[in-house]
Amino acid sequence: MFEEKTYKRCTCMGPLFEKDGEPALDDDGAQKVGRLDRNCPRLKERTHGSWYFQIELERGGDGKRRRPREGGFRTQEEAAARAEEVWKAAKAGVNVMSEETVAQFLDRWLKKKKTELKRTTAHEYGRDIELYMVPHLGALKLRDLRARHCQGIFDWIIADNERRTEHRGRVAELQEAADTACLAWRNAPAGTPAERAERAQLRGVWADARDRHAVERKQLQRTTGPSTMLSIKATLSSALNDALKEELIAKNYAQFLTLPKVTKARALAWTAPRVARWKRTGQKPSPVMVWTLEQTAEFLDFIVEDRQFPGWHLVLFHGLRRGELAALTWDEVNLDEEIIHVTEQLVSISYEIHEDTPKADSVRDIKLNRDSVLLLKAWRKKQRAERKQWEAHRAWKDSGNRVFTREDGSAYHPQFFSDRWDRLVSLSGLPPIRLHDGRHEAASLALAAGVAPKAVQAMLGHSSMRMTTDTYQTVLPEMHAATASASLDLMAAYRAKEQKKVAKKPKKKSKKRGKGEGKEAA
């Protein structure tokens, strides 16, 4: 049965007394001096001291009494309300006696989760905890955590994003001012001494503007986007789910958060109007872009002599990720069966390489097309020849039988493939697409060629068909043309069929009247 006990206490110092009213004495016989707490005579004053509560809970499993106590309330009503709140939380199964802070719990939780998470996921969890949760929630006792505290993280992020956006605009203005000052200095005449003096002054103005821009530019920070906020929420929700199981909180408060809407970037094809706009403004219509069939063929022709061409071919036609490309070994390549087994990937965390297994659905077998088989056979032959040359000088570096290596056998860092891809795309003069967009390209090409979506899903290693069709399928211009003509072709086929029916249908012969019929009618 709930029964709260509220009382006032303060921090005043004064002479102490025993319960029977006698002075409390120390070893030397002098009266003790200390905090008066609930015995302060000024507690009758309305504004003196603060209110506390204490409630009695059911005994714990060890038989000991449990008496939660909390103070610092301005009024007795606030203390009583808090006492009832703690009582209800205890009845809901929350361990209201726990003194563990949010920071302590998250540290303990992350250590446990690292044993069951992928390295990249554990790294993202750690980032979210360090940068967002601990600074805003860390000092709070976990038992006191509420939805408003969790929402405060995202309210701060949104406000900070506005500050960062304003700062980015200020940096752009400083850049423009520096460019204008530089142009004025370079165009200033320098014939006479007076003109040279004025030109030197203009150069000083430009130098000052350049330095101001450089200082502010170093302080640029990227805004935290909706996708990152969703990731932070997911991390917090996962942690609070475990806290709920441990009966440290009553609810998973992350479920009640309000976040900006996340709109997934739609993959778009580089059509002629989009290419023209990109050349004019330098802006991509979408973060995710793919080439048309013509552009893809042009890129393949341009990079055919590149050392990593077989790898680029696997990306564009079979949708390998860069980590899978870097980790692929000859042990997992069966050129007789024309299959590669994707069982490993290299992940980069703070540029440090770690070997890891892909997600469960990404462990897959990929059937190679005929060109990929020929390219890999030629590549293996070339790699073996390079190995003999380097072994002759005792300089060969064994990288675990990797498929794609440097001339000396050393493995590539996954970032190398992204950097090399960007360089080749830039040199080709084609509109930009990222290396990861090659997976979009592979999916779009396969679906446009009529490959069953289920087969494309298996090739890419997706857990659901929806992810394949919604996220990775781009409607290429060639597919637009086919779709636009499909209904017209259907109607035309129907009309042609009906016309054939009419042409084949025999004409009805009219009945001839007898000789006397006309006269009788008359």
Side-chain angles (χ1 to χ4, degrees), residues 104-119:
Q104 291 169 340
F105 168 75
L106 290 174
D107 180 65
R108 175 169 63 85
W109 173 78
L110 185 59
K111 288 178 180 177
K112 180 186 72 172
K113 295 296 286 186
K114 280 183 177 179
T115 61
E116 59 187 64
L117 293 174
K118 294 289 184 185
R119 287 182 183 272

Side-chain angles (χ1 to χ4, degrees), residues 199-224:
R199 193 170 191 270
Q201 185 178 4
L202 291 174
R203 189 184 190 285
V205 172
W206 166 71
D208 291 341
R210 178 198 60 193
D211 293 343
R212 284 195 298 272
H213 171 257
V215 170
E216 292 295 328
R217 190 173 182 275
K218 288 181 180 179
Q219 300 176 12
L220 275 176
Q221 293 177 302
R222 290 185 300 176
T223 56
T224 303

Side-chain angles (χ1 to χ4, degrees), residues 358-398:
K359 295 178 181 178
D361 297 297
S362 294
V363 176
R364 62 200 187 277
D365 295 342
I366 298 179
K367 182 70 175 178
L368 298 173
N369 60 40
R370 56 182 179 273
D371 283 357
S372 293
V373 173
L374 293 174
L375 287 168
L376 287 173
K377 285 182 177 179
W379 172 249
R380 183 170 61 179
K381 184 177 180 180
K382 179 180 180 180
Q383 192 182 55
R384 286 173 175 173
E386 290 176 345
R387 177 168 185 166
K388 287 182 180 181
Q389 293 176 356
W390 284 82
E391 283 182 336
H393 295 84
R394 298 181 180 179
W396 176 260
K397 298 178 181 178
D398 188 1

Side-chain angles (χ1 to χ4, degrees), residues 10-17 24 31-37 40:
C10 68
T11 59
C12 293
M13 303 292 289
L16 302 180
F17 294 86
Q31 187 173 10
K32 293 181 180 179
V33 176
R35 289 178 57 174
L36 298 178
D37 289 330
C40 179

Side-chain angles (χ1 to χ4, degrees), residues 234-401:
T235 302
L236 181 60
S237 180
S238 179
L240 295 186
N241 265 339
D242 283 5
L244 193 60
K245 293 175 184 177
E246 294 183 29
E247 298 184 345
L248 296 175
I249 55 175
K251 301 176 183 177
N252 185 342
Y253 299 107
Q255 297 176 352
F256 308 106
L257 299 177
T258 302
L259 271 64
K261 185 178 180 181
V262 178
T263 303
K264 288 187 176 181
R266 182 185 175 188
L268 300 177
W270 275 115
T271 57
R274 289 171 181 157
V275 173
R277 182 170 179 263
W278 164 71
K279 289 181 176 179
R280 187 174 66 255
T281 64
Q283 296 178 351
K284 293 170 62 176
S286 171
V288 183
M289 301 296 298
V290 297
W291 288 318
T292 62
L293 294 177
E294 179 184 358
Q295 291 162 344
T296 305
E298 184 179 342
F299 183 68
L300 289 169
D301 292 341
F302 178 78
I303 64 172
V304 70
E305 298 297 331
D306 188 71
R307 178 177 175 82
Q308 285 75 37
F309 182 73
W312 308 139
H313 201 273
L314 291 177
V315 171
L316 288 170
F317 288 98
H318 300 293
L320 262 70
R321 301 176 177 91
R322 71 173 195 178
E324 297 167 349
L325 202 66
L328 186 64
T329 65
W330 286 112
D331 303 319
E332 301 297 335
V333 178
N334 189 333
L335 294 180
D336 294 330
E337 297 291 335
E338 300 181 348
I339 290 176
I340 60 174
H341 309 286
V342 179
T343 60
E344 187 181 8
Q345 64 176 341
L346 295 184
V347 296
S348 175
I349 300 176
S350 300
Y351 206 74
E352 183 180 343
I353 299 177
H354 300 276
E355 294 183 2
D356 203 354
T357 56
K359 295 178 181 178
D361 297 297
S362 294
V363 176
R364 62 200 187 277
D365 295 342
I366 298 179
K367 182 70 175 178
L368 298 173
N369 60 40
R370 56 182 179 273
D371 283 357
S372 293
V373 173
L374 293 174
L375 287 168
L376 287 173
K377 285 182 177 179
W379 172 249
R380 183 170 61 179
K381 184 177 180 180
K382 179 180 180 180
Q383 192 182 55
R384 286 173 175 173
E386 290 176 345
R387 177 168 185 166
K388 287 182 180 181
Q389 293 176 356
W390 284 82
E391 283 182 336
H393 295 84
R394 298 181 180 179
W396 176 260
K397 298 178 181 178
D398 188 1
S399 59
N401 205 23

